[in-house]
Amino acid sequence: MRAALLPCAVLTCLASGTTLAAAIPDNYPTKPIRIIVPFTPGGSNDLVGRVLSQKFHEAWGQPVIIDNRPGGGSTIGIDIAVRAPADGYTILTTSGGIAINVSLYKLPFNPVTDLAPVILLAQMPYLLGVHPGLQAKTTRDLINLAKAQPGKLAFSSSGAGTSAHLTMEMFAHMSGIQLLHVPYKGGNPAVTAVMGSEAQGVFNVITGVLPHARSGKLRALAVSSAKRADIAPDIPTIAESGVPGFEVIAWYNVFAPARTPRPIVTKLNTEINRLLQTADVRERFQTLGVAPLGGPPEALAKYLDFEITRWSKLIKTIGVQLK
């Protein structure tokens, strides 16, 4: 239907002596912008969104409002963004869970067709941490321990179906072990559970685990990225610690509602790419343990498709179900 209507839209513009691009105000934005973050305040996704909102305000002089809409594994907030007017004044900053949710929920939207990719914003590794009293000083030790007692080692997560949970499942699958999953309501409670001996291990974003590992309350075994993290170069990767080929990252992105005019998407993409190159944004991201990415909207579209396919295969293979 959209393809059939496009020629008519073009003819209408030509008949009125305008072009599609000219229909977009040159002075966009002229009013406040809302950034929907489908998570609670204080988490890594929220902090990344707040960096973006501050820099948008400085660049364009318009108020930028962070609208936290947690729930449903981020699906509630994403659905609100999907249904928002496609005028460039509502955008979505979310995480890689957007790709996982496709295989876990009966969604009222399709992220591929109902959202317009803006930019692949940044990435951050997960850190595999265990209780310091556990008889596992390396990833290989942990794997051997888990094999000796299948399904006995409890791993906490920020919630069933979250990226952290699925990272744990990927690790168990690729290393041939069975772990007991214990979901909590958020990353901080999941980490606290390990420190309090309610669970033996956890996967969480590196900045959520590293301070506790540095203080001795947790033991850091490995990072989930293909390369060691700049923020913790002394910690090996899981791939080099006994699970070749393992790579999972927390990734952050920006979308707009589908049918947002391309000139607006381009302006948003161009501005964010510029911001990612500034010294203060890179410094803020480094403090958060986040590595800036950037690139054209097409790069986000391609990566979203890759992640949907990847997690769909894992979920089907191991039969992950939400309780």
Side-chain angles (χ1 to χ4, degrees):
M1 181 179 292
R2 295 175 190 168
L5 291 174
L6 184 57
C8 296
V10 173
L11 288 174
T12 300
C13 289
L14 291 176
S16 62
T18 65
T19 65
L20 287 174
I24 310 305
D26 292 334
N27 58 346
Y28 165 86
T30 59
K31 61 182 183 179
I33 295 175
R34 176 175 63 152
I35 299 180
I36 294 178
V37 176
F39 300 95
T40 55
S44 58
N45 202 104
D46 177 69
L47 294 174
V48 168
R50 290 181 188 278
V51 172
L52 196 62
S53 68
Q54 178 188 343
K55 304 312 288 187
F56 272 168
H57 174 65
E58 292 175 2
W60 290 334
Q62 292 294 336
V64 181
I65 302 164
I66 294 292
D67 187 1
N68 294 96
R69 296 298 187 100
S74 77
T75 61
I76 292 176
I78 296 173
D79 189 46
I80 292 172
V82 164
R83 298 173 186 275
D87 56 6
Y89 291 97
T90 297
I91 61 176
L92 170 73
T93 300
T94 187
S95 70
I98 193 171
I100 293 173
N101 292 342
V102 172
S103 300
L104 289 178
Y105 296 93
K106 292 182 179 179
L107 299 174
F109 58 83
N110 182 334
V112 175
T113 58
D114 293 334
L115 290 169
V118 175
I119 196 167
L120 186 56
L121 188 62
Q123 65 179 19
M124 174 166 48
Y126 292 98
L127 181 57
L128 168 57
V130 297
H131 188 276
L134 190 69
Q135 297 301 307
K137 295 186 177 181
T138 67
T139 302
R140 175 50 63 187
D141 289 343
L142 176 65
I143 293 172
N144 291 337
L145 190 63
K147 286 184 175 180
Q149 39 186 320
K152 300 293 185 179
L153 294 183
F155 262 63
S156 58
S157 83
S158 53
T162 61
S163 300
H165 170 208
L166 269 294
T167 299
M168 183 212 79
E169 297 287 3
M170 178 75 79
F171 171 72
H173 175 67
M174 292 185 65
S175 57
I177 60 176
Q178 297 177 28
L179 299 171
L180 176 63
H181 176 227
V182 184
Y184 285 78
K185 294 182 179 180
N188 289 335
V191 172
T192 301
V194 179
M195 292 190 291
S197 299
E198 295 177 16
Q200 284 75 57
V202 65
F203 277 94
N204 197 21
V205 290
I206 190 168
T207 50
V209 178
L210 189 60
H212 304 297
R214 297 296 194 220
S215 69
K217 296 178 182 178
L218 288 174
R219 177 181 296 135
L221 298 187
V223 294
S224 65
S225 47
K227 297 180 180 179
R228 296 193 181 199
D230 291 340
I231 196 175
D234 56 313
I235 301 176
T237 67
I238 292 175
E240 68 180 289
S241 304
V243 191
F246 186 92
E247 180 185 9
V248 179
I249 57 171
W251 53 286
Y252 305 92
N253 48 70
V254 178
F255 288 91
R259 297 179 299 282
T260 297
R262 181 69 186 196
I264 288 181
V265 171
T266 299
K267 186 167 185 176
L268 288 167
N269 175 271
T270 300
E271 181 60 21
I272 297 173
N273 270 308
R274 184 189 70 79
L275 294 175
L276 292 177
Q277 298 304 314
T278 60
D280 57 338
V281 169
R282 297 183 79 86
E283 183 178 346
R284 291 277 298 279
F285 274 18
Q286 185 177 18
T287 302
L288 296 173
V290 176
L293 292 174
E298 291 75 18
L300 172 55
K302 184 176 180 180
Y303 194 71
L304 175 63
D305 183 67
F306 165 78
E307 285 283 286
I308 289 175
T309 301
R310 179 194 199 195
W311 291 112
S312 174
K313 289 180 179 178
L314 175 72
I315 289 167
K316 289 178 181 178
T317 298
I318 65 179
V320 175
Q321 293 183 346
L322 300 183
K323 295 181 180 180

